[in-house]
Amino acid sequence: MVQRLAKGVLPPNTQIQKDAITAMSKGATVFVSCIADKANEITLTSNRKTISPNAVLDALAGCEFADFLPRVEAELKRFNEIATAKRNEYRRKVKEKETETTGADADATMDDAAAAAAAAAAAATVDAAPG
């Protein structure tokens, strides 16, 4: 995954040595550990138990990575917008399916009622016929 991320920001045909990928991976691990620890401290100081996105942003600033804040905030906003759109689309599809199912059930109920009325009329006709 680190290699894919690195290649995504580098010019085409750039080669990365295997040891460089390992160094990036280890660096990412240290970075995430540092930010997670600082975010946990911020969370505990606020008498909360769950690390929030704001705690992570504060941790970035507290670990002297404030230069990353605009990009991280933009990516977080973009992620939330995409997640919200997916959630709304899913809810819309579920609602449409419920509407279709309810409509189909109503049609089936009307068909059943019409069939029952026709059967009752036929039976009445047979009973009323001279015999």
Side-chain angles (χ1 to χ4, degrees):
M1 184 163 160
V2 172
Q3 183 173 5
R4 185 172 51 108
L5 290 169
K7 285 198 174 251
V9 297
L10 296 173
N13 300 322
T14 301
Q15 300 296 316
I16 306 172
Q17 291 182 355
K18 186 177 181 180
D19 290 344
I21 296 294
T22 302
M24 283 186 242
S25 179
K26 297 299 179 186
T29 301
V30 170
F31 176 78
V32 169
S33 297
C34 175
I35 299 302
D37 183 54
K38 185 68 174 173
N40 188 50
E41 285 178 23
I42 292 168
T43 300
L44 293 175
T45 302
S46 302
N47 292 323
R48 290 180 282 129
K49 294 181 180 181
T50 304
I51 296 173
S52 68
N54 285 337
V56 174
L57 296 173
D58 291 344
L60 284 169
C63 290
E64 299 182 20
F65 290 109
D67 293 346
F68 290 164
L69 285 175
R71 173 121 188 238
V72 173
E73 288 170 338
E75 290 295 328
L76 183 60
K77 181 181 177 191
R78 184 170 157 248
F79 172 81
N80 286 332
E81 288 170 352
I82 291 169
T84 299
K86 285 182 180 180
R87 203 170 30 252
N88 290 340
E89 178 67 14
Y90 173 77
R91 288 176 181 160
R92 184 187 62 76
K93 286 182 180 179
V94 167
K95 194 170 192 171
E96 282 179 5
K97 194 168 192 170
E98 287 175 357
T99 303
E100 289 174 6
T101 303
T102 304
D105 289 346
D107 289 345
T109 303
M110 284 187 211
D111 289 344
D112 291 345
T125 304
V126 170
D127 291 339

